[in-house]
Amino acid sequence: MNNFITLGQFIIEKQAEFPYAKGELSRLLRDIGIATKIVNREVNKAGLMDILGSAGNTNIQGENQQKLDVYANDQFISALRSGGECCIVASEENEDVIHIDSPVSKSAKYIVAIDPLDGSSNIDVNVPVGTIFSIYRRKSTNGKASLSDVLQKGTEQVAAGYVIYGSSTMLVYTTGCGVNGFTLDPSIGEFCLSHPNMKMPENGVIYSINEGNYVHFPIGVKKYIKHCQVEDKLTNRPYTSRYIGSMVADFHRNLIKGGIFIYPSTAAAPKGKLRLVYECNPLSFIAEQAGGRATNGTTPILGLEVTELHQRTPIFIGSNAMVLEAEKMMVLTPGNEYINDLA
Ligand code: AHM
Ligand code: MG
């Protein structure tokens, strides 16, 4: 008798706690889980196949698409299409929303926003990459679902999760009742519950930020970096700097060990780099569900108005106490002007 719980079993058990649930969300999560295993297989053999490198296309963000980006995008969309529980998909890799017009998804009430392969520029050097997803309920009641159904605030998320393709592959998700993590056991091809009820430490000693952009940071961010580097035995400073450049990996480490991840606005990118709908909102939902905090420096990410599919936002995400400390410095600097000095 095995004493582990698989992702499939866990989803069904959770569904049973809601007697009126029809199982649609459970099936949607299952579909995402299946696509994840297929993507995992390809990510793992990336070095063996002629699959490394660029697909030669440029996506809507003007970024070079990697072959595995395209592959992962296709896998998730095809799993959602055949599953029938999703009416519209918003993906980092597609300029517009994708309508799922299959016969089974006619009355589907869920919307999925996804970054199929985040950090994909790291694939060539064997650094962990990830998938990030978010699930919303459709708001419109008749006709085809449309972009306006996707442009919902993060507070409206029904579920969110990420997969980290790392030294092991993990799927971490929330439906708003805590956060649970599952590790893929390759020998049986199943995600098994390995990290039940995950909690982000209230405080930490790790800060993650691309310090190469330092001169372009707002003064509040510079002050916070200085704060992290100053010696203070009482608060365990100086902190440790860790930046992988793969948001899922940086976030995952900080979720487990405690820490803060910052991708602020910069002089060159005043709106920040990371995307609200399929990167920041899902990870912020998970952070909050694990007891952490996520803001754009002044306002909670989940409360931000969403006006564009590929909208960007600055983000400060991680242990509650660390994000609060960073926010204090942002507020202390009226306007957070861009001053390119090293003060
Ligand atoms: P991507 O969606 O094009 O992969 O970009 C997102 C990634 C994040 O995973 C990571 O945190 C960030 O970009 C790193 O950016 P930078 O190289 O500017 O530090
Ligand atoms: Mg991304």
Side-chain angles (χ1 to χ4, degrees):
M1 185 64 184
N2 296 317
N3 60 359
F4 55 75
I5 301 172
T6 67
L7 176 62
Q9 287 167 331
F10 186 84
I11 290 172
I12 289 166
E13 275 173 28
K14 288 287 150 198
Q15 186 194 320
E17 291 170 15
F18 299 92
Y20 299 108
K22 294 196 193 126
E24 291 143 313
L25 179 61
S26 302
R27 286 194 290 275
L28 184 53
L29 288 167
R30 180 208 55 195
D31 297 339
I32 292 174
I34 292 170
T36 291
K37 287 190 220 170
I38 298 171
V39 171
N40 175 67
R41 189 187 60 201
E42 294 306 308
V43 168
N44 272 311
K45 63 183 184 195
L48 299 171
M49 307 286 287
D50 178 30
I51 203 159
L52 278 173
S54 165
N57 299 324
T58 302
N59 71 8
I60 175 65
Q61 329 284 343
E63 295 154 347
N64 205 9
Q65 279 183 314
Q66 301 290 312
K67 280 183 186 173
L68 273 173
D69 283 353
V70 180
Y71 181 84
N73 197 34
D74 291 349
Q75 288 306 322
F76 282 106
I77 291 168
S78 124
L80 294 170
R81 182 167 280 125
S82 49
E85 303 300 348
C86 164
C87 55
I88 214 168
V89 184
S91 164
E92 178 177 325
E93 298 301 328
N94 297 87
E95 178 167 3
D96 299 316
V97 293
I98 300 148
H99 294 275
I100 306 283
D101 282 330
S102 72
V104 273
S105 63
K106 266 206 174 103
S107 53
K109 61 178 184 215
Y110 288 108
I111 287 154
V112 174
I114 192 159
D115 181 351
L117 211 58
D118 184 64
S120 54
S121 60
N122 288 315
I123 292 168
D124 287 359
V125 288
N126 255 349
V127 167
V129 290
T131 295
I132 313 173
F133 64 89
S134 178
I135 300 175
Y136 293 86
R137 218 169 259 115
R138 176 182 172 174
K139 294 278 183 195
S140 59
T141 47
N142 46 40
K144 255 182 156 182
S146 66
L147 174 63
S148 61
D149 287 300
V150 178
L151 304 181
Q152 299 186 39
K153 279 188 182 177
T155 45
E156 300 295 309
Q157 288 172 100
V158 175
Y162 66 82
V163 183
I164 175 166
Y165 309 95
S167 46
S168 62
T169 296
M170 263 190 85
L171 187 150
V172 175
Y173 84 100
T174 181
T175 53
C177 306
V179 178
N180 291 284
F182 300 79
T183 302
L184 183 64
D185 180 340
S187 66
I188 56 168
E190 291 283 2
F191 281 105
C192 300
L193 181 62
S194 53
H195 295 63
N197 197 18
M198 295 174 88
K199 291 286 171 219
M200 191 169 240
E202 169 66 18
N203 214 334
V205 294
I206 296 173
Y207 71 103
S208 321
I209 185 167
N210 185 344
E211 279 186 69
N213 295 327
Y214 185 88
V215 289
H216 301 301
F217 287 156
I219 276 202
V221 175
K222 289 179 178 174
K223 278 190 182 168
Y224 183 69
I225 293 176
K226 196 43 80 196
H227 166 85
C228 294
Q229 295 171 342
V230 160
E231 182 145 45
D232 178 41
K233 291 215 163 60
L234 260 183
T235 54
N236 288 320
R237 284 180 288 154
Y239 293 156
T240 293
S241 167
R242 291 279 183 273
Y243 189 73
I244 297 172
S246 201
M247 189 191 194
V248 169
D250 278 311
F251 176 82
H252 183 70
R253 182 204 52 240
N254 292 353
L255 171 61
I256 290 175
K257 293 191 164 183
I260 185 171
F261 172 92
I262 304 176
Y263 208 110
S265 52
T266 64
K271 293 181 177 166
K273 172 182 180 183
L274 300 174
R275 277 53 62 111
L276 177 59
V277 175
Y278 40 78
E279 291 176 332
C280 298
N281 268 337
L283 294 185
S284 299
F285 188 24
I286 293 168
E288 287 197 4
Q289 281 294 313
R293 185 172 173 85
T295 77
N296 66 358
T298 52
T299 310
I301 294 287
L302 297 183
L304 295 176
E305 290 295 337
V306 186
T307 54
E308 287 169 39
L309 184 52
H310 299 286
Q311 189 171 329
R312 296 176 193 264
T313 177
I315 186 165
F316 297 65
I317 186 168
S319 291
N320 186 49
M322 296 181 90
V323 176
L324 280 171
E325 188 69 43
E327 274 178 282
K328 261 198 308 200
M329 303 196 186
M330 298 306 287
V331 176
L332 279 175
T333 313
N336 296 318
E337 313 91 303
Y338 301 115
I339 297 178
N340 299 343
D341 65 10
L342 298 173

